[in-house]
Amino acid sequence: MINFVLILLSMIILTAIGVYVLMQDRHATPNRLFASFAFSAVLLMYCAVLRFTGSDPWGVWFVHGLSAPLLAISSWLLIWLILAIFIPHRYAQPHVRRALAAPYLFIALFLTLDWYGGLGLVRRIDASKATGTLDLLNGPLFVPVMVSYVLGGLLVPVAMLSAVAVRRRSVRIPAAWLSGGLALSFAAGAWFGSISLLALNYVSMLPLYLAFGWVTLRFQIFRPSQVALRTAVEYLPDGVVVIDAQRRVRFANRAARQLASLNDDSETTFETALARAGFQDDTTSEDRLAGVRRFHREGEVAAALMVSEVAIEGDHASASVLLLRDVTAAERQRAALAASHAALEERTAALERSLNEIRQRDAMITRLTLPLIPLSDGVLALPLIGAFTGERSQAMVALLLHQIEQRRARKVLLDLTGITGFDHSLAVALRQAADGARLMGARIALCGVRPDIAESIVHERLALHDVRHFATMQEGVAALLHQSDGLFPDPR
């Protein structure tokens, strides 16, 4: 009777723990795994109740065959649960989960086939015709299967928890609690079996479940915020590092481990760990004003890290959180942009030099194509040669007025003999030259006016009544040099 009470009490405790964990977050993978793990144990204990209270021998035989496969499945769920809680990035890899589950599923199928198929390789029941009882007999593979159960159900989970406790200080205490609960459960099972208290074997795993319950309440590893935060931090693209007051690394997510080879099982400081990874401090004054630090690593695997540090509020041990961001690509883009900017400035300067040279050549060409000839003191001659566009016409006016001022000229002879085309721009330029020269105290004379040019001047209605005209340049030169001022009156 007491065995039945203990089993029933264990079922109630396990059901309560499983329901409590699901109530924390029924969508979280660790919570659902733990609930499956706990409910598989409840089903195992229910089979035990049916086994010890059943009156039908063959019904007891059927229920007894479920015990061993359920133990294998429970061990498989325990392995997955440890993986999901403490090593979530490995649990996220399907091939890892399948590799860990395959041995347990195989042994569960093998035990089911051995029992219900009547192979008797592990265990079988011999019905006693005299008493009508069922005697449990061990088969030739009983010892190897028991060894496999101890290895897979005890040593593998304990080894995983021990490795987690050694490598990750932040979860060392929860991992140690679960390791202790698991070891105590197996020790209790072995002791109950040795004293022939088979019913208590079904409640021997209670210390492990209670350890999970204590971890749930004390460390809240099944709380939604904790699970979500741990998963989010682990899979962040930026590195997240927690350091203590001595600046020793106490936690490093996957990105931090990949970026800077940081581990939370080292006694070295954060800066020393970065130096061992080949990083050198390259913080500038602008970075310090911005509250960040920069580290660079040269060599075949060049890298650049930007580190921001924030103190954890309310932590009496002065712990801090460091955010590591890989800015290698940004630094390369910045360098490439600076190089492109420098190249662009160099090309702009070269283009400006070329433009100045072109302007100087244009000015020289303009001077050469507008040969201003001094005939005497105060008398200039300007032969106009070629076609005159608007720009060249304005250049002619500017040059003429400038030379009138510089040479104090009073008479200027413009020779139109070499003009190949007369258009509106040249007509306007001649009128501007005449007006500008008159305002400066000089007079303009024209020579070499051909019939087509005369027709264009009339067509443009160009008023040149105050401008003297000569047929040829010789007549104009002679008139300006040798004839009296009455023929060319002074406008002043």
Side-chain angles (χ1 to χ4, degrees):
M1 183 61 182
I2 189 172
N3 293 337
F4 175 75
V5 173
L6 289 175
I7 293 176
L8 184 60
L9 179 62
S10 300
M11 292 174 62
I12 294 174
I13 294 174
L14 289 178
T15 302
I17 294 176
V19 171
Y20 174 79
V21 170
L22 282 179
M23 288 175 61
Q24 298 297 312
D25 187 2
R26 61 186 178 87
H27 299 290
T29 298
N31 295 44
R32 288 186 291 180
L33 281 176
F34 177 80
S36 301
F37 175 58
F39 295 151
S40 67
V42 171
L43 182 59
L44 181 63
M45 294 181 183
Y46 179 70
C47 293
V49 172
L50 295 179
R51 176 185 174 186
F52 290 104
T53 60
S55 58
D56 182 11
W58 297 108
V60 173
W61 168 82
F62 178 80
V63 173
H64 192 280
L66 297 176
S67 301
L70 283 175
L71 281 174
I73 293 175
S74 181
S75 300
W76 156 48
L77 292 175
L78 176 61
I79 294 296
W80 270 19
L81 181 59
I82 295 173
L83 201 68
I85 293 176
F86 299 106
I87 320 174
H89 64 281
R90 292 297 183 188
Y91 181 83
Q93 300 173 351
H95 64 278
V96 174
R97 296 201 305 270
R98 296 191 191 102
L100 291 175
Y104 298 95
L105 292 177
F106 172 77
I107 196 65
L109 292 175
F110 174 73
L111 291 174
T112 302
L113 181 63
D114 177 73
W115 183 265
Y116 295 109
L119 300 180
L121 297 177
V122 180
R123 275 195 168 184
R124 66 181 186 274
I125 285 184
D126 184 21
S128 175
K129 297 181 181 179
T131 62
T133 59
L134 300 177
D135 296 329
L136 190 62
L137 303 178
N138 296 332
L141 297 182
F142 175 76
V143 174
V145 169
M146 288 301 298
V147 172
S148 301
Y149 172 68
V150 172
L151 291 176
L154 173 63
L155 296 184
V156 172
V158 168
M160 293 177 63
L161 291 171
S162 300
V164 168
V166 171
R167 294 182 60 86
R168 300 180 58 186
R169 296 176 180 271
S170 57
V171 293
R172 175 172 294 178
I173 297 178
W177 267 94
L178 296 180
S179 298
L182 184 61
L184 183 59
S185 294
F186 269 84
W191 184 66
F192 291 146
S194 65
I195 60 176
S196 300
L197 293 177
L198 298 180
L200 294 181
N201 279 334
Y202 292 91
V203 299
S204 62
M205 297 299 291
L206 193 58
L208 175 60
Y209 305 123
L210 292 176
F212 267 112
W214 168 250
V215 167
T216 300
L217 294 173
R218 176 63 178 83
F219 301 99
Q220 300 180 349
I221 62 174
F222 293 107
R223 290 290 295 269
S225 57
Q226 296 291 331
V227 176
L229 180 61
R230 184 181 297 111
T231 304
V233 169
E234 187 67 26
Y235 286 95
L236 278 176
D238 294 332
V240 177
V241 180
V242 179
I243 60 175
D244 59 14
Q246 288 73 36
R247 304 194 65 80
R248 294 173 299 187
V249 178
R250 287 295 172 253
F251 171 79
N253 69 342
R254 182 177 60 173
R257 296 191 295 269
Q258 293 176 350
L259 289 174
S261 302
L262 297 173
N263 294 313
D264 51 11
D265 58 345
S266 176
E267 293 297 327
T268 59
T269 63
F270 170 74
E271 288 76 9
T272 303
L274 284 184
R276 288 182 179 178
F279 286 93
Q280 300 295 327
D281 195 341
D282 195 20
T283 306
T284 63
S285 57
E286 291 80 4
D287 294 330
R288 292 188 179 91
L289 291 176
V292 298
R293 299 174 64 187
R294 290 183 184 271
F295 294 86
H296 281 79
R297 178 174 62 191
E298 304 295 339
E300 296 182 359
V301 187
L305 292 179
M306 184 172 66
V307 180
S308 304
E309 182 172 348
V310 179
I312 300 176
E313 296 182 1
D315 189 274
H316 300 290
S318 301
S320 300
V321 176
L322 304 179
L323 178 65
L324 279 64
R325 176 160 295 178
D326 186 2
V327 294
T328 306
E331 292 287 341
R332 291 175 180 172
Q333 292 177 357
R334 184 183 302 175
L337 183 61
S340 299
H341 184 67
L344 181 60
E345 289 183 346
E346 185 177 351
R347 290 185 62 185
T348 303
L351 289 175
E352 289 180 352
R353 290 193 297 268
S354 300
L355 183 60
N356 290 332
E357 293 176 357
I358 292 174
R359 288 173 179 170
Q360 293 174 2
R361 286 198 298 267
D362 289 343
M364 183 179 295
I365 292 173
T366 301
R367 288 194 300 269
L368 293 176
T369 56
L370 294 172
L372 195 64
I373 304 171
L375 300 178
S376 67
D377 188 18
V379 181
L380 301 175
L382 179 60
L384 303 181
I385 304 171
F388 277 79
T389 60
E391 183 177 355
R392 192 178 180 209
S393 299
Q394 293 302 317
M396 181 269 294
V397 174
L399 176 64
L400 179 60
L401 297 179
H402 177 71
Q403 290 296 323
I404 289 174
E405 179 189 15
Q406 187 176 9
R407 297 176 183 271
R408 299 181 181 275
R410 297 176 59 189
K411 304 172 185 178
V412 179
L413 179 63
L414 296 180
D415 181 18
L416 307 183
T417 305
I419 291 178
T420 58
F422 191 95
D423 60 2
H424 176 74
S425 63
L426 182 55
V428 173
L430 291 176
R431 180 74 266 174
Q432 291 176 348
D435 293 343
R438 186 175 65 254
L439 292 174
M440 297 177 67
R443 298 296 296 271
I444 297 294
L446 298 179
C447 66
V449 179
R450 301 191 305 270
D452 59 330
I453 297 178
E455 183 180 356
S456 298
I457 291 175
V458 173
H459 180 72
E460 293 290 339
R461 297 181 180 180
L462 185 61
L464 297 175
H465 304 295
D466 57 342
V467 177
R468 287 206 58 183
H469 299 81
F470 299 96
T472 63
M473 187 174 183
Q474 291 83 354
E475 293 181 5
V477 171
L480 273 83
L481 292 178
H482 302 291
Q483 293 181 2
S484 63
D485 289 341
L487 297 175
F488 207 150
D490 192 340
R492 293 177 292 181

